[in-house]
Amino acid sequence: MRTLSFELLPDAGSFTPLQLKPTFILNGCFSGWDRWARAHGLPHQVVIRDLHTAFVVHVGQVKYLERYVYEDAGALDVTMSRRIMRDGAQLEVRAVFEAQPGRPVAESSMCVVPLAVLEDSAELAALPAPLPNAYLSLSEPSEIVHEAYPSPFPGVLREIVERGEFLGSFEHPFFVHRQQCEFVDQWFFVEASVFAAASRERMVFEQGAKQPALRRGLSLPLRELDLLYSRPFYLFDQGRARTRAFRAPEGVVFVHELVKDGTPDPHSVVVERF
C-alpha cells in the first residue's frame, strides 16, 4: 500500500490551550489525501473533470494519542495512506501525526463515498456510485479490499445511550455562513465539530454548576471524536445542535445531533469523549 509523508507546521491558531483542534486534524487528513492523490496521479480536480467522479466524507474520526500543546509545537510529520474498500463503494483515508519519529500524537481516518457527477451539472450535483474502472486501474492490488470501512456508527450511539448514565441535555442554534462552506457547500463538513463544541461549551456554562461531571467537557482535553455525515447542510441553513451528555466507565461523553430547522432527522452526529 502506497503512503505519502509530509511536514505540517501548526501555528497558535491550530491549538486550544489543551490540544490541537479537531478541525486542524480533520483538515490535515483531508488535504493530506489530496496530496497523496496528486503524488500518485489522481488529483481530485482531474478525477471530477475527466472521470466525472467526486467524493463526500461520510464518517470522520480523530484520536488523540499523547499530550501535545502549543508550547511543544514543531513541525508534525504526517503519513497518509488510502485504501479502496467494499469493492469500490468506499475509500478509507488515514493520517498519522508524529511530533517525532515513532511518537504519534494524533491520528485520523475518514470513510469517503464516491459519487458520480451528473452530466452538465453546473453545481456538481452527484449521486453515490462505485468507483469507475479507470480509477480502480490506477490503484495497486494491495490498496483494494472487499471489507467495509469499520464505522463506529450506529454501535457507538447504542452503547452510550443504553449503558451510560444520562447527565442532561441542551439545544444550541447555529447558522451556516459562507466561511463554513466549501466550493460546493458541504461535501466535507469539518464545521460539524465546531457546532458540536459550541453546544457543549454552552451546556457546561449553563448546567455545570448543578451537574459538576459536565465540567470535564471544558477542563479536560478531548480524547476521541467520531462524526457521521448523513446529509449535507447548505449555505444559510439554520439548525440546532441537540446535545446529550452521559457518564461512561471511561469518562464523560457528549452526543450531538445536528438538525436542520424544520426537519426531524439529524444531518450529522458528533460524539466527543472526555
Side-chain angles (χ1 to χ4, degrees):
M1 183 168 61
R2 294 170 293 180
T3 62
L4 176 73
S5 296
F6 59 92
E7 278 193 349
L8 195 60
L9 183 62
D11 58 27
S14 307
F15 292 85
T16 71
L18 299 174
Q19 60 194 161
L20 282 166
K21 294 178 180 178
T23 49
F24 176 86
I25 297 173
L26 291 167
N27 277 318
C29 183
F30 194 78
S31 64
W33 173 38
D34 198 8
R35 290 182 186 230
W36 184 99
R38 291 174 183 274
H40 297 297
L42 294 166
H44 291 171
Q45 294 91 333
V46 173
V47 173
I48 293 172
R49 185 190 66 220
D50 296 345
L51 303 183
H52 307 291
T53 299
F55 304 97
V56 61
V57 177
H58 181 49
V59 175
Q61 296 181 275
V62 173
K63 292 183 180 180
Y64 292 92
L65 306 176
E66 186 177 317
R67 184 179 185 272
Y68 185 70
V69 294
Y70 180 63
E71 290 79 5
D72 304 328
L76 289 167
D77 292 321
V78 185
T79 301
M80 296 297 311
S81 62
R82 187 276 269 146
R83 293 193 299 170
I84 295 171
M85 308 193 75
R86 226 179 104 194
D87 301 318
Q90 297 175 335
L91 292 92
E92 177 193 61
V93 181
R94 186 170 296 275
V96 178
F97 300 76
E98 292 185 312
Q100 298 172 359
R103 184 195 161 195
V105 297
E107 63 181 19
S108 178
S109 72
M110 294 179 177
C111 175
V112 181
V113 176
L115 307 172
V117 178
L118 301 182
E119 191 173 352
D120 298 326
S121 172
E123 297 82 14
L124 291 180
L127 296 172
L131 288 165
N133 289 331
Y135 187 98
L136 295 172
S137 67
L138 296 174
S139 299
E140 295 186 348
S142 62
E143 296 168 350
I144 304 175
V145 298
H146 297 295
E147 304 93 89
Y149 177 84
S151 172
F153 298 95
V156 63
L157 296 178
R158 183 169 56 250
E159 178 184 355
I160 293 168
V161 173
E162 291 180 356
R163 300 183 183 180
E165 175 192 350
F166 179 70
L167 297 176
S169 63
F170 187 73
E171 286 199 5
H172 188 62
F174 62 84
F175 186 89
V176 180
H177 296 279
R178 175 70 71 186
Q179 66 266 26
Q180 291 155 337
C181 298
E182 23 93 338
F183 84 113
V184 285
D185 286 335
Q186 296 305 340
W187 281 358
F188 172 55
F189 190 38
V190 68
E191 297 296 328
S193 65
V194 178
F195 292 143
S199 184
R200 165 176 46 82
E201 291 180 354
R202 290 299 306 172
M203 181 181 186
V204 174
F205 267 100
E206 296 194 15
Q207 300 182 17
K210 295 182 178 179
Q211 184 59 269
L214 294 176
R215 299 176 194 170
R216 297 183 186 183
L218 283 180
S219 62
L220 297 180
L222 182 65
R223 292 188 296 108
E224 188 172 334
L225 180 80
D226 296 320
L227 305 99
L228 174 68
Y229 306 96
S230 300
R231 50 184 63 82
F233 286 102
Y234 296 103
L235 179 64
F236 304 144
D237 275 350
Q238 298 183 71
R240 292 162 290 124
R242 299 189 307 213
T243 297
R244 292 173 291 168
F246 300 85
R247 193 198 311 270
E250 71 275 17
V252 173
V253 183
F254 292 82
V255 177
H256 313 270
E257 294 180 323
L258 305 187
V259 181
K260 182 178 177 179
D261 284 354
T263 61
D265 297 324
H267 285 222
S268 183
V269 178
V270 184
V271 178
E272 301 176 303
R273 298 179 183 271
F274 291 86

